[in-house]
Amino acid sequence: MISHPSRHCTVELQALPSRIGQVRRIVSAHLRYWHLDPLIDRAALGVTELLTNVHQHAQPDKLCTVELELLLDRLTVSVRDHDPRLPVVEDMGEIAPLATGGRGLAMVAAVSESWGARPDGEQGKVVWFTLPTSAPSVAVPARVPALVTAEQPARRFAGPVLNGTRSAVAG
């Protein structure tokens, strides 16, 4: 009998649409195993959005690593890829109402406690978000929140579109 189940999960994959669905199911299964069922929907949505960004934007390849880490009262979900370009947060006012893209990071910010991106060596980056294990209610923000550090709660972004030069660096 395992008295303290593993609180870490790593999945390496090529971010293709069929694989994204498989990773979403793996994330859901691990959260059920860890008795974190209330986090499943938000974690699955967040990891789907981050993997979709890798699929659509990452260069030179679509290889990435998804990591789940449960420490104390916080679940961190991160996606590491080989593209050093940090994500650009779109100004929601600039996105056409019927556009099919540009809202993914805003959704990640809306469902998470905090999120950010950091360089990973010279040829890659990590984009992450955190969820508290005691889930508070989540309100959808009126504007896109800025990238934040792990120590700061997500806040509303009222300034210009971020150009990728500002990013959060996880401690």
Side-chain angles (χ1 to χ4, degrees):
M1 181 169 128
I2 299 173
S3 60
H4 298 288
S6 173
R7 302 297 187 185
H8 187 264
C9 172
T10 302
V11 179
E12 295 181 11
L13 71 142
Q14 191 170 19
L16 300 173
S18 62
R19 297 289 301 179
I20 294 170
Q22 292 172 346
V23 172
R24 191 172 44 245
R25 288 187 291 279
I26 290 169
V27 166
S28 297
H30 270 278
L31 294 180
R32 274 190 207 92
Y33 180 69
W34 294 341
H35 305 289
L36 296 173
D37 296 50
L39 301 183
I40 291 172
D41 290 340
R42 293 187 294 150
L45 174 66
V47 79
T48 298
E49 292 303 325
L50 297 184
L51 289 173
T52 298
N53 283 349
V54 173
H55 173 69
Q56 292 178 341
H57 305 292
Q59 300 294 328
D61 57 41
K62 308 302 180 193
L63 295 175
C64 63
T65 303
V66 175
E67 183 175 9
L68 302 176
E69 186 172 29
L70 180 62
L71 293 174
L72 301 175
D73 62 346
R74 195 89 47 269
L75 175 71
T76 301
V77 179
S78 60
V79 175
R80 173 177 283 111
D81 65 44
H82 299 126
D83 189 338
R85 298 174 299 160
L86 294 175
V88 175
V89 179
E90 299 291 335
D91 182 346
M92 295 304 285
E94 300 290 321
I95 298 173
L98 299 177
T100 59
R103 294 180 181 88
L105 292 175
M107 287 194 295
V108 170
V111 301
S112 66
E113 179 181 61
S114 61
W115 76 281
R118 68 177 188 272
D120 184 39
E122 293 182 17
Q123 297 183 349
K125 69 177 167 299
V126 177
V127 183
W128 55 268
F129 64 92
T130 64
L131 299 171
T133 56
S134 55
S137 61
V138 176
V140 176
R143 303 283 298 191
V144 176
L147 292 172
V148 295
T149 63
E151 295 80 27
Q152 298 173 331
R155 61 184 184 273
R156 298 190 195 290
F157 177 67
V161 175
L162 293 178
N163 63 11
T165 59
R166 291 175 49 200
S167 66
V169 177

